[in-house]
């Protein structure tokens, strides 16, 4: 399913990360597809959908029935000191479980669309892009590795947070913690499907841009370029834009909920930390280290999600920039000039961008605004509950 793009150390780790995400998604029931190696296509499996629903429903049930907050004295001290914190924590628990349920159900519900979209990516890979060298596309490998590492760090961070805050370990605690880890892993892997697909779209757009640059260099050196080559690249670019828009429409609600969860967790984490360290005047050196690493990993994962979409959007802007280089070439063939003009007009009317829920485009500018907004909500929360701190 994943063709090795090179024999180097980086490419091997990239291939291993992709396979790990695939097999992990199969095990946790968030990828209800089987791969037909003969036709090189994915096929939706109703049995895998049933397996995923039952398995993840069991995870949610175990998390609810084995709530370990009463075994963590640090949290209970915060709740006894501030009733609002306990109410907010209860609302956040309901929001988190609802987010997990909605994400999984929507992924299963849109599995037909996911199957068609991923199969089209596979078709592009095997029919067109398999003949191009991918050794120079280092950002593809880098972001795949970053995404795989972020999933591992999130799980490790949650384990450190739960184990570091609980001095007493019981069978119920470990059952709840294990179920929570598996449930969060399923959510993170389900969200990574969108980001990995976006990285693949970026790689294919990067190939189109490189081929356009080669055509510019040929024309600058006085060589002949066929207009059919430009038309072919336009056709590929058109399909890639359609795929990116379909990916955004399939995963928009899931991605919005994941990004919102990262920011909400950070806001509430800082709020609880202020109550415990300032209101209760507790000395918590180890807890500070655990809290800071959890906050940092959450923000890094949130920003990585933003940066992946920004990477693909930036590659689309580079396509328009490369097409402008053809203006420096004199005495272009009329048919070739018409093909370049069609490509440029298409890029001016349709851009490679990811629009979520009809509300906002996912890029660095919007990510920065979301981070600032979450900080303002933290200030509002502190001001609202100032007299209880």
């Amino acid at each position: 399913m994943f063709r090795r793009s090179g024999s180097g150390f980086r490419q091997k780790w990239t291939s291993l990360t992709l396979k790990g995400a695939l097999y992990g998604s199969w095990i946790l029931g968030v990828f209800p597809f089987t791969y037909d190696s003969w036709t090189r296509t994915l096929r939706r499996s109703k049995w895998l959908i049933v397996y995923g629903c039952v398995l993840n429903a069991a995870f949610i049930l175990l998390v609810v029935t084995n709530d370990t907050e009463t075994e963590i004295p640090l949290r209970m001290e915060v709740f006894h000191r501030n009733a609002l914190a306990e109410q907010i924590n209860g609302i956040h628990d309901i929001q988190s479980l609802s987010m997990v349920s909605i994400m999984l159900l929507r992924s299963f519900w849109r599995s037909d669309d996911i199957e068609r979209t991923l199969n089209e990516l596979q078709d592009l890979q095997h029919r067109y892009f398999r003949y191009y060298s991918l050794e120079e596309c280092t950002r593809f490998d880098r972001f795949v590795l970053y995404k795989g590492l972020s999933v591992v760090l999130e799980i490790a961070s949650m384990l450190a947070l739960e184990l570091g805050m609980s001095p007493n370990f019981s069978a119920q605690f470990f059952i709840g913690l294990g179920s929570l880890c598996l449930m969060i892993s399923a959510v993170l892997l389900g969200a990574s499907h969108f980001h990995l697909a976006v990285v693949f779209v970026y790689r294919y757009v990067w190939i189109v841009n490189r081929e356009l640059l080669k055509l510019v260099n040929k024309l600058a050196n006085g060589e002949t370029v066929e207009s059919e080559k430009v038309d072919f690249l336009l056709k590929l670019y058109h399909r890639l834009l359609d795929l990116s828009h379909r990916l955004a429409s399939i995963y928009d609600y899931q991605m919005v909920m994941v990004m919102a969860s990262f920011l909400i967790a950070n806001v509430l984490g800082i709020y609880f930390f202020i109550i415990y360290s300032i209101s209760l005047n507790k000395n918590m050196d180890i807890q500070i280290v655990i809290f800071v690493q959890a906050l940092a990993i959450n923000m890094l994962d949130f920003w990585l999600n933003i940066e992946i979409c920004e990477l693909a959007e930036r590659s689309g802007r580079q396509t328009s920039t490369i097409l402008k280089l053809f203006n420096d070439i004199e005495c272009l063939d009329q048919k070739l000039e018409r093909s370049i003009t069609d490509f440029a007009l298409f890029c001016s009317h349709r851009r490679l961008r990811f629009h979520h829920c009809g509300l906002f485009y996912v890029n660095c500018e919007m990510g920065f605004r979301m981070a600032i907004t979450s900080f303002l909500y933290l200030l509002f929360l502190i001001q609202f509950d100032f007299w209880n701190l």
Side-chain angles (χ1 to χ4, degrees):
M1 186 174 180
F2 298 113
R3 185 177 68 90
R4 194 176 71 177
S5 60
S7 57
F9 180 78
R10 189 187 69 249
Q11 289 83 6
K12 289 180 180 179
W13 273 104
T14 301
S15 178
L16 183 63
T17 302
L18 291 172
K19 289 178 181 178
L22 175 64
Y23 295 134
S25 299
W26 270 331
I27 293 172
L28 294 175
V30 293
F31 194 73
F33 307 101
T34 58
Y35 182 68
D36 188 343
S37 58
W38 180 257
T39 60
R40 292 175 176 174
T41 56
L42 294 170
R43 293 183 178 178
R44 188 171 70 109
S45 171
K46 294 182 179 179
W47 290 109
L48 287 178
I49 292 177
V50 173
Y51 166 74
C53 290
V54 173
L55 182 65
N56 287 281
F59 291 156
I60 295 173
L61 183 62
L62 286 172
V63 170
V64 173
T65 55
N66 293 276
D67 187 11
T68 58
E69 284 188 348
T70 56
E71 299 187 14
I72 302 179
L74 188 148
R75 290 183 182 175
M76 296 310 299
E77 286 187 57
V78 172
F79 296 159
H80 288 312
R81 173 66 178 82
N82 194 309
L84 179 63
E86 185 174 7
Q87 294 176 0
I88 292 176
N89 183 73
I91 295 173
H92 179 248
D93 289 343
I94 296 173
Q95 177 266 331
S96 299
L97 292 175
S98 301
M99 178 206 72
V100 173
S101 304
I102 293 173
M103 278 189 62
L104 295 174
L105 289 175
R106 182 170 170 81
S107 297
F108 294 142
W109 176 42
R110 299 293 301 271
S111 57
D112 280 336
D113 297 327
I114 296 173
E115 177 188 358
R116 286 192 294 269
T117 304
L118 296 182
N119 280 334
E120 189 160 353
L121 274 174
Q122 286 279 348
D123 181 65
L124 286 171
Q125 166 69 30
H126 291 291
R127 289 183 60 185
Y128 303 112
F129 294 111
R130 62 182 302 185
Y131 304 107
Y132 295 102
S133 172
L134 302 173
E135 296 286 343
E136 300 174 8
C137 192
T138 57
R139 286 188 176 180
F140 170 80
D141 299 329
R142 194 184 308 150
F143 275 90
V144 170
L145 294 175
Y146 287 165
K147 191 59 192 175
L149 180 62
S150 71
V151 174
V152 175
L153 288 177
E154 284 285 356
I155 300 301
S157 172
M158 187 188 66
L159 284 172
L161 189 63
E162 293 291 332
L163 294 173
M165 296 293 182
S166 178
N168 302 317
F169 304 119
S170 62
Q172 182 186 9
F173 173 80
F174 284 110
I175 292 174
L177 181 59
S179 304
L180 183 62
C181 286
L182 292 173
M183 184 182 72
I184 297 300
S185 298
V187 171
L188 293 174
L189 286 174
S192 70
H193 298 162
F194 169 73
H195 298 117
L196 292 176
V198 171
V199 174
F200 272 96
V201 170
Y202 156 74
R203 182 170 71 167
Y204 299 151
V205 174
W206 178 86
I207 294 174
V208 171
N209 290 344
R210 187 180 61 176
E211 293 303 307
L212 285 173
L213 276 174
K214 288 182 179 179
L215 297 181
V216 173
N217 291 332
K218 283 185 177 181
L219 290 172
N221 293 330
E223 301 180 27
T224 303
V225 172
E226 299 293 334
S227 62
E228 287 77 10
K229 180 66 175 178
V230 178
D231 294 335
F232 173 71
L233 293 176
L234 173 58
K235 175 185 174 183
L236 292 180
Y237 192 79
H238 188 284
R239 289 184 64 180
L240 290 171
L241 256 64
D242 287 340
L243 280 174
S244 66
H245 293 155
R246 284 158 56 185
L247 283 170
S249 66
I250 292 170
Y251 287 100
D252 52 357
Y253 290 102
Q254 296 95 307
M255 294 303 103
V256 169
M257 287 188 288
V258 167
M259 289 189 292
S261 295
F262 283 141
L263 296 177
I264 291 172
N266 286 346
V267 169
L268 295 185
I270 297 174
Y271 176 62
F272 293 153
F273 177 78
I274 291 174
I275 294 175
Y276 194 80
S277 61
I278 298 178
S279 300
L280 299 177
N281 196 21
K282 296 286 186 177
N283 185 16
M284 43 187 300
D285 296 333
I286 298 177
Q287 285 81 0
I288 288 176
V289 176
I290 295 173
F291 167 75
V292 170
Q293 64 84 25
L295 187 68
I297 290 174
N298 257 1
M299 284 306 299
L300 285 174
D301 200 3
F302 167 77
W303 196 257
L304 179 62
N305 298 340
I306 298 292
E307 187 63 30
I308 288 174
C309 295
E310 173 73 19
L311 178 69
E313 183 177 327
R314 196 183 306 128
S315 67
R317 294 197 296 267
Q318 289 172 354
T319 306
S320 300
T321 303
I322 293 171
L323 288 171
K324 293 178 181 179
L325 298 177
F326 285 97
N327 295 330
D328 300 331
I329 308 298
E330 299 180 355
C331 301
L332 281 177
D333 178 71
Q334 186 175 4
K335 192 175 181 181
L336 176 61
E337 186 175 2
R338 188 181 302 113
S339 298
I340 295 170
T341 302
D342 291 340
F343 205 148
L345 287 173
F346 179 81
C347 291
S348 65
H349 287 84
R350 295 189 60 183
R351 297 181 181 180
L352 180 56
R353 306 178 78 181
F354 295 93
H355 198 216
H356 282 347
C357 302
L359 298 175
F360 58 90
Y361 292 100
V362 185
N363 49 39
C364 289
E365 180 183 356
M366 180 52 64
F368 181 74
R369 291 180 179 178
M370 293 174 72
I372 294 299
T373 301
S374 66
F375 180 74
L376 291 176
Y377 277 119
L378 173 63
L379 293 181
F380 298 155
L381 183 59
I382 293 173
Q383 289 175 347
F384 178 78
D385 197 41
F386 178 76
W387 295 109
N388 291 326
L389 294 178

